[in-house]
Amino acid sequence: MNLFLQKAGAKQQKTGFVPTMGALHPGHISLVETAKQRGHLVICSIFVNPTQFNDAKDFQNYPITIESDIDQLEKAGCDVLFLPSVSEMYPNGLASKTHYELGYLETVLEGKYRPGHFQGVCQVVHRLLGIIPADFLYLGQKDFQQCMVIKKMIGLQGLKTTIVICPTLREPDGLAMSSRNMRLDEKARTRAVEISSTLNYIKTSLQPGDLSILKSNAIKKLNDAGFKTDYVEIADAETLALKDHWDGKTKLVALCAAFLGDVRLIDNMLL
Ligand code: PAF
């Protein structure tokens, strides 16, 4: 890895890093392409990080499609693929000595419903950035809260990497692209569109004032479509403070997480 980074440094070329857990789809590839278009040396990692799964079944069932991943990365012009083993990433075992002080961000939404998840994300991204101290880190907006958490971790650790957040890519019917979509059967895949429809419903119905009816209507829409909903929330897009009332000015984001069978999907939309 050092050799690649040194070569880029010698040419004064910036480095762009795309961390992934594999099962790549066009959303991931768009991150590689954006980094490429900016002239960066592009490094992608594929590592299904055990420490960020609060649900053992989710970890066991996480899709692995390495040959197709490599093929897509080659076609997109990715320069370096980092494919570490668990022992390479965690030579001293999975338990982390570092606790990341994420504060409020870890108490809401994904932080609340997936205890320990963001500590695991910080642990792996911190370690990855130790191995690949890239100038830019490319992340997808689909993981809205994760982007905020990683930004916070980078600040806490005083790292030099700048985050670039790229838009969520969607299927023609609106479903946000996600590796977990591969696990939906035909019936579930048809129903899954209701997540983005619900976010669109919030966006088009938003009015200044009380938000509680809008939120409960949105939850009902998902539950009626066969989801088991963890949350539908509207939050300040800068701080993620949850909102029950809108002043008509604050920039908001609607976020949701819901299960279809045993597949948990998340999505968000800036309002
Ligand atoms: O978003 C993901 O795929 C993962 O959380 C990440 C950032 C690669 C860390 O394992």
Side-chain angles (χ1 to χ4, degrees):
M1 187 59 64
N2 281 344
L3 191 68
F4 289 110
L5 298 174
Q6 275 164 18
K7 274 193 182 165
K11 285 195 280 177
Q12 297 198 326
Q13 185 183 23
K14 298 285 184 200
T15 48
F17 175 35
V18 181
T20 80
M21 299 206 295
L24 301 185
H25 52 69
H28 294 114
I29 297 304
S30 73
L31 306 181
V32 172
E33 287 170 350
T34 306
K36 244 357 238 184
Q37 279 154 17
R38 293 173 156 214
H40 300 166
L41 178 100
V42 183
I43 303 150
C44 176
S45 66
I46 297 180
F47 178 65
V48 185
N49 173 36
T51 70
Q52 71 185 73
F53 286 85
N54 56 310
D55 175 354
K57 264 213 222 127
D58 190 27
F59 179 53
Q60 278 154 22
N61 292 332
Y62 203 83
I64 294 178
T65 59
I66 194 68
E67 278 173 20
S68 149
D69 293 352
I70 292 173
D71 191 44
Q72 292 180 65
L73 289 173
E74 270 177 359
K75 287 193 178 123
C78 175
D79 296 291
V80 186
L81 168 61
F82 182 52
L83 197 61
S85 63
V86 173
S87 59
E88 207 173 346
M89 286 304 291
Y90 296 114
N92 303 319
L94 297 184
S96 174
K97 288 186 193 72
T98 312
H99 178 81
Y100 301 89
E101 291 299 336
L102 301 173
Y104 170 75
L105 277 182
E106 205 176 11
T107 65
V108 286
L109 308 172
E110 293 302 282
K112 177 173 166 192
Y113 284 88
R114 300 187 65 189
H117 168 63
F118 285 134
Q119 288 297 318
V121 169
C122 287
Q123 186 188 8
V124 76
V125 176
H126 189 189
R127 172 108 182 98
L128 284 166
L129 287 175
I131 300 167
I132 308 163
D135 297 299
F136 296 96
L137 180 70
Y138 287 83
L139 299 170
Q141 193 207 305
K142 179 171 163 286
D143 296 300
F144 194 90
Q145 191 173 5
Q146 171 172 275
C147 294
M148 287 179 138
V149 161
I150 294 177
K151 196 168 178 192
K152 177 139 193 179
M153 182 280 288
I154 285 180
L156 287 171
Q157 298 300 321
L159 306 180
K160 296 272 180 290
T161 304
T162 303
I163 290 188
V164 182
I165 300 175
C166 299
T168 304
L169 256 58
R170 295 181 180 279
E171 301 290 351
D173 68 354
L175 176 66
M177 289 188 186
S178 161
S179 305
R180 287 186 176 85
N181 294 351
M182 289 179 197
R183 294 190 48 225
L184 298 170
D185 62 25
E186 207 178 319
K187 192 168 154 207
R189 173 62 191 84
T190 312
R191 286 180 173 190
V193 65
E194 198 58 41
I195 290 211
S196 60
S197 313
T198 299
L199 293 171
N200 272 315
Y201 159 74
I202 294 176
K203 187 170 178 149
T204 50
S205 317
L206 182 72
Q207 299 281 346
D210 182 59
L211 299 175
S212 51
I213 295 172
L214 185 57
K215 286 197 271 187
S216 54
N217 285 348
I219 293 174
K220 187 171 179 320
K221 263 169 83 59
L222 283 180
N223 291 346
D224 287 352
F227 284 85
K228 193 180 138 303
T229 306
D230 271 354
Y231 60 81
V232 176
E233 277 295 350
I234 299 173
D236 182 317
E238 303 291 330
T239 63
L240 219 60
L242 303 185
K243 293 283 180 193
D244 287 324
H245 185 275
W246 185 40
D247 59 10
K249 286 185 277 208
T250 308
K251 268 172 70 184
L252 298 177
V253 58
L255 310 102
C256 68
F259 283 92
L260 264 181
D262 65 349
V263 184
R264 187 173 184 276
L265 299 173
I266 62 168
D267 197 358
N268 66 80
M269 201 170 276
L270 289 166
L271 302 179

